[in-house]
Amino acid sequence: MNDFLCPKCKDHLRVGDHIIFKVKNNEKKTALLLLNPQIGNYTSTKHPSFIIKEGEFLEFYCPLCGASLKSDIHENLALVLMNDEKGNRYAVYFSQIAGEHSTYKTTDDAVHMEGEDAGRYTYFRVGDRFKRYF
Ligand SMILES: [Zn+2]
């Protein structure tokens, strides 16, 4: 089972089969959004009163410490940390644009891309070195 951690407080964002985030839309409405912990699976769960429009920017926050998860690589990409069952550690970047399927699982010197829109952020070049978060 992969664990997901906030890059700021390092607390656990995964509960059961969901990663839990707080999100905020352009109208400053906030909600909890549950994502699938399987990389490349873009199903999500939310309360029906929170409407997400295709192409809308949602800012992701840690529900524990309240920090914005916006990455320093691109404002559209959020960052979480992942530990897999073998003890490997990754920085995982994903798009905060609703409906945009781009996820990048990175280690020090490698990036693994997932999602049909992953080519949009082409400044991710295989072989780039990524910052250590652990
Ligand atoms: Zn946090």
Side-chain angles (χ1 to χ4, degrees):
M1 174 176 123
N2 296 335
D3 272 327
F4 289 86
L5 310 170
C6 167
K8 306 275 165 27
C9 67
K10 310 273 164 71
D11 278 331
H12 286 281
L13 298 172
R14 179 172 181 171
V15 178
D17 288 329
H18 296 104
I19 315 173
I20 302 178
F21 296 100
K22 177 184 154 183
V23 294
K24 188 163 80 182
N25 68 13
N26 286 334
E27 289 147 25
K28 310 271 184 237
K29 275 200 75 171
T30 54
L32 291 173
L33 186 66
L34 280 57
L35 299 189
N36 194 297
Q38 193 190 333
I39 290 189
N41 182 327
Y42 294 96
T43 57
S44 62
T45 308
K46 60 175 179 59
H47 191 272
S49 67
F50 185 75
I51 311 293
I52 299 177
K53 300 183 208 92
E54 192 78 0
E56 177 180 30
F57 177 82
L58 293 174
E59 187 159 9
F60 279 65
Y61 295 87
C62 171
L64 299 163
C65 71
S68 170
L69 298 176
K70 190 181 281 189
S71 70
D72 53 9
I73 286 187
H74 192 286
E75 61 176 9
N76 285 356
L77 298 177
L79 166 69
V80 290
L81 307 181
M82 186 181 104
N83 293 341
D84 71 10
E85 48 277 281
K86 296 186 193 110
N88 298 314
R89 294 166 160 193
Y90 303 93
V92 175
Y93 298 86
F94 60 95
S95 176
Q96 301 182 101
I97 306 290
E100 188 175 274
H101 295 167
S102 39
T103 307
Y104 309 88
K105 189 176 93 176
T106 69
T107 54
D108 278 354
D109 53 6
V111 56
H112 175 77
M113 300 198 275
E114 278 291 342
E116 64 271 21
D117 300 319
R120 281 188 199 176
Y121 300 96
T122 48
Y123 37 76
F124 268 96
R125 294 189 309 275
V126 176
D128 274 354
R129 290 193 70 80
F130 292 96
K131 204 160 138 184
R132 278 184 173 273
Y133 289 95
F134 291 94

